[in-house]
């Protein structure tokens, strides 16, 4: 039985193709490379029900992933996160079928585990010994830990403003960690230089072709969890935008396999913060690519990406699916995050909260209908963004009793 | 189709029985109540393969859980955490079949989500409006968030030394949070008083009968993930010990259902810290109950429980399965935690690391054989225990390049 049906890499912009049995970065033309599969052949031998007895992780889709041999897989149990109905919040927003794909339940607490698992597994298969990555935090944490397991050395470059807890997480993994007094775009330039200087694999967003394959599994899971029905709308908080590109790729592959309706595609929504909204601006101006967003700033640190390498692929997915892009304010993010905790008990990250608020706005504007099936990608745990708060709670001594409780009977 | 096969509650010490359709706390004799099921009837209608198409969460075992109606379930997608082979560490420890049940991948990042999901769902079914809980942190966080979703008010009492991040998590959920300048035993006394004063449901460990049912699902999952084979040894970091009692209960129920070998039971190992080892002491002295451990202290905060209400049940599970109990030092925990990250990329919590170190010791002593199948319960994410570290990493300015990397080629 063939483990992977991957055949080769092809450029996302020009007609160039590359073999996938050796380390590749970008196409010679400077655009990202994408993995191709022999879906026609796979369609003949694999059916959705064949998955039922498989492991409850993303490797259940191994034929649609690039790792050629199971022995090269580096896994921490990633994938098959829950697709949770959000009834109270949906009722509040007037969206009857609102679901959260909760990526907080992942190794290292974010969806970055998917890209790291598949990216590191493939790097392992290709014999990589050292890599370099610029990151706003969570990707660095995920890649550091998977690199540990694979015995690959990781050099991580992170902006000074990245959440302190995540920085500590990267340090714990024993990665070579550098802090830059700037943005992820500055870190990216340093990573490119370091890759050359120290002969490292540059695993910046979309500069290697396999991270997107890991994130693609979010799309497979959503389809499987909906019993191979296609949702109407998918909202995704877009920084680099890999997840959105990846989920779109997943749905196209499932259509080509004949596993889902070939005429229905979800409308993709890219959600950004008002302080960093290059893709929203490009979409509003009907452009194919975004421009660098100067002085970008948002508390949703994961989407503070002033210019994404794959911006044109994000925009393409939006245009081809009649989707849209919109930006939300930091205050709206904080308010919605609190609201989600109190209503649904889900402590989502700021980026996830941004997507929830966007859903609220799109329903209010009538862009989404009441009975449409709407999926929100919560990209990680809210806890990872938390600072140690000042202790304001009452302190009691042993033997004390609670004198009063304000709102209880 | 009957949703739950629960029939009634029975005392864990005396012959008393109670109905499960109203709020119950302890038995009149002071001992915990346990849930009983009609397993004979269930065995006729449910087979292991019936689970295959069910949801990937702990509610796939709903017949063996106490919630009578699906509409009362409060879920955040808990359960079905991975059972990960730990090959590098196993090789290092000379244990060929070493697995980690990784409970870090749960809502709120710990195994406490299981108890909270089932406990809150049942409380919801019984019409509870307010509850009180003493906690070392993680249980408080889990119960707070599930209580939010259920619309139940939660009063949480937590020692001052509990991890700051977890305290913030509880505060975020909007619970009524009190800090006590003492231990969980002091918090427990306050909770008991508050329960009476404010007519609250006391959900202290084992003072309500349903938390254990949630944790029981760890046992079901281990068996299912091993294709209904029984492992040889299960190591569990024991504070209150509910998880150990619960997994033992799960294996007995599976035996009675005829789903696993009725003559083989795993040997249960309770792991404690040397600074708080009442159950280890009792086991070494062949006693049936433990004594209060004075001046208890350990960095593995979740197992800093000087006297557990269910100690006699933990000891019973150990005696009946030819298990054992042993204590490890805080330095050993720290060392093993770092080792697990570097070898396996898994950032386990200190309690989980304690269980790993215990496995190492038990293999060295010959108590476990090389080819035995050994399961370690990692009860949560290491990240939750982390303090913001001092920034010691090099800070670069935009445009700088990395001058040297110590160990890379």
């Amino acid at each position: 039985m063939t483990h992977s049906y991957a055949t080769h890499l092809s450029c996302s912009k020009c007609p160039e193709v590359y073999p996938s049995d050796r380390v590749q970065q970008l196409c010679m033309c400077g655009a990202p490379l994408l993995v191709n599969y022999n879906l026609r052949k796979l369609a003949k031998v694999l059916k959705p029900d064949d998955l039922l007895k498989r492991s409850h992780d993303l490797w259940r889709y191994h034929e649609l992933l690039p790792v050629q041999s199971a022995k090269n897989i580096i896994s921490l149990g990633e994938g098959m996160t829950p697709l949770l109905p959000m009834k109270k919040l949906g009722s509040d927003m007037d969206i009857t079928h609102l679901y959260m794909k909760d990526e907080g339940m992942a190794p290292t607490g974010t969806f970055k585990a998917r890209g790291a698992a598949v990216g590191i597994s493939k790097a392992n298969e290709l014999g990589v010994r050292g890599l370099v990555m610029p990151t706003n935090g969570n990707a660095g944490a995920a890649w550091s830990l998977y690199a540990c397991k694979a015995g690959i050395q990781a050099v991580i470059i992170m902006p000074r403003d990245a959440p302190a807890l995540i920085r500590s997480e990267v340090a714990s993994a024993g990665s070579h960690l550098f802090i830059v007094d700037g943005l992820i775009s500055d870190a990216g330039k340093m990573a490119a230089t370091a890759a050359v200087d120290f002969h490292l694999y540059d695993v910046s967003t979309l500069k290697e072709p396999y991270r997107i394959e890991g994130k693609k599994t979010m799309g497979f899971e959503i389809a499987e969890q909906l019993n191979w029905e296609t949702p109407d709308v998918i909202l995704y908080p877009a920084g680099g935008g890999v997840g959105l590109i990846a989920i779109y790729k997943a749905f196209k592959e499932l259509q080509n396999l004949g596993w889902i309706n070939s005429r229905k595609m979800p409308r993709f929504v890219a959600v950004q913060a008002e302080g960093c909204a290059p893709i929203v601006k490009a979409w509003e101006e009907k452009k194919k690519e975004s421009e660098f967003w100067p002085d970008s700033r948002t508390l949703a640190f994961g989407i503070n990406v002033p210019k994404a390498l794959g911006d044109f692929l994000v925009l393409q997915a939006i245009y081809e699916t009649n989707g849209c892009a919109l930006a939300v304010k930091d205050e709206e993010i904080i308010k919605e995050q609190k609201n989600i905790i109190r209503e649904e008990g889900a402590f989502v990250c700021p980026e996830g909260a941004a997507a929830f608020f966007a859903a609220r706005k799109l329903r209010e504007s009538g862009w989404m209908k009441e009975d449409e099936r709407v999926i929100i990608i919560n990209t990680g745990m809210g806890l990872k963004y938390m600072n140690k708060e000042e202790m304001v709670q009452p302190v009691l001594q042993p033997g004390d009793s609670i004198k009063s409780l304000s709102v209880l009977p």
Side-chain angles (χ1 to χ4, degrees), chain A:
Chain A
M1 185 69 191
T2 311
H3 192 258
S4 168
Y5 279 71
T7 52
H8 63 284
L9 303 172
S10 62
C11 180
S12 56
K13 257 189 187 157
C14 80
E16 202 64 56
V17 296
Y18 297 83
S20 58
D21 61 354
R22 67 203 73 164
V23 170
Q24 305 283 3
Q25 304 262 203
L26 294 172
C27 177
M28 281 176 297
C29 81
L33 298 176
L34 299 173
V35 184
N36 292 262
Y37 295 86
N38 190 337
L39 298 174
R40 193 179 306 183
K41 194 169 150 204
L42 178 58
K44 289 184 192 143
V45 295
L46 190 71
K47 303 292 168 206
D49 272 3
D50 296 334
L51 302 176
L52 287 175
K53 287 212 169 191
R54 293 191 177 180
S55 64
H56 291 175
D57 58 37
L58 60 79
W59 299 102
R60 67 200 275 107
Y61 309 110
H62 61 80
E63 288 93 343
L64 294 157
L65 292 172
V67 180
Q68 297 291 343
S69 170
K71 74 176 193 301
N72 296 317
I73 290 175
I74 304 295
S75 174
L76 293 169
E78 54 288 332
M80 289 310 273
T81 58
L83 186 70
L84 292 168
M86 304 290 270
K87 287 188 186 162
K88 282 161 85 179
L89 208 58
S91 159
D92 182 35
M93 290 185 186
D94 194 28
I95 303 171
T96 312
H97 307 290
L98 180 68
Y99 295 83
M100 169 170 70
K101 180 71 175 162
D102 192 2
E103 293 289 303
M105 261 172 278
T108 73
T110 77
F111 77 135
K112 299 289 185 180
R114 294 181 190 267
V118 175
I120 290 283
S121 294
K122 189 66 190 177
N124 183 42
E125 186 161 86
L126 296 171
V128 169
R129 304 304 311 148
L131 58 83
V132 60
M133 164 180 268
T135 174
N136 272 340
N138 282 320
W143 284 72
S144 290
L145 283 156
Y146 283 89
C148 274
K149 181 148 187 160
I152 293 173
Q153 294 205 50
V155 178
I156 306 291
I157 311 175
M158 192 182 287
R160 185 196 274 270
D161 291 342
L165 192 66
I166 304 175
R167 191 166 61 210
S168 302
E169 192 182 10
V170 173
S172 297
S175 295
H176 305 270
L177 174 60
F178 295 87
I179 305 299
V180 55
D181 190 15
L183 291 176
I184 191 170
S185 43
D186 301 302
K189 286 172 205 153
M190 287 177 194
T193 308
V196 175
D197 290 351
F198 299 99
H199 308 289
L200 299 169
Y201 187 36
D202 186 346
V203 298
S204 303
T205 306
L206 292 172
K207 282 198 181 171
E208 63 79 55
Y210 305 109
R211 187 202 292 211
I212 183 174
E213 297 303 298
K215 292 201 177 169
K216 193 176 74 174
T217 56
M218 284 189 282
F220 295 156
E221 292 176 18
I222 290 168
E224 184 175 359
Q225 287 166 327
L226 295 176
N227 204 22
W228 308 105
E229 286 185 21
T230 307
D232 297 292
V233 179
I234 296 179
L235 292 103
Y236 177 86
V242 179
L244 192 151
I245 301 166
I247 297 171
Y248 181 48
K249 186 172 192 278
F251 276 93
K252 284 203 287 192
E253 289 175 356
L254 292 177
Q255 286 187 338
N256 287 330
L257 276 174
W259 288 14
I260 58 171
N261 184 335
S262 64
R263 278 165 309 185
K264 181 176 176 188
M265 183 58 83
R267 278 136 54 217
F268 283 88
V269 180
V271 180
Q272 299 199 299
E274 288 199 353
C276 182
I279 287 171
V280 176
K281 182 165 181 284
W283 179 77
E284 286 172 349
E285 294 169 354
K286 299 191 169 50
K287 291 193 175 148
K288 285 185 177 173
E289 292 195 13
S290 68
E291 287 163 32
F292 185 89
W293 187 277
D295 302 319
S296 69
R297 186 177 300 272
T298 166
L299 65 85
F301 209 72
I303 54 175
N304 190 351
V305 180
K307 165 75 180 166
L309 186 60
D311 55 357
F312 71 100
L313 294 169
V314 174
L315 287 159
Q316 196 176 308
I318 296 173
Y319 294 131
E320 288 179 0
T321 65
N322 298 311
C324 70
L326 80 168
V328 303
K329 294 188 205 324
D330 276 8
E331 311 86 88
E332 294 167 337
I333 292 174
I334 293 169
K335 195 179 148 201
E336 193 67 80
Q337 190 185 30
K338 187 170 278 186
N339 195 32
I340 299 162
I341 293 178
R342 301 294 160 93
E343 293 281 315
E344 298 284 355
F347 193 176
V348 307
C349 63
E351 296 82 1
F356 275 97
F357 192 81
R360 188 181 290 278
K361 282 172 79 169
L362 289 175
R363 178 68 194 101
E364 279 170 10
S365 74
W367 192 86
M368 298 193 310
K369 301 286 168 283
E370 182 185 346
D371 61 346
E372 288 195 301
R373 193 136 58 167
V374 177
I375 313 284
I376 290 174
I377 311 290
N378 172 47
T379 48
M381 298 179 83
L383 192 76
K384 292 192 79 174
Y385 292 74
M386 214 149 165
N387 282 310
K388 193 155 59 168
E389 279 174 20
E390 289 306 305
M391 187 166 62
V392 293
Q393 288 81 29
V395 176
L396 305 171
Q397 294 303 314
D400 281 359
S401 66
I402 296 168
K403 295 289 185 298
S404 71
L405 278 168
S406 47
V407 288
L408 287 165

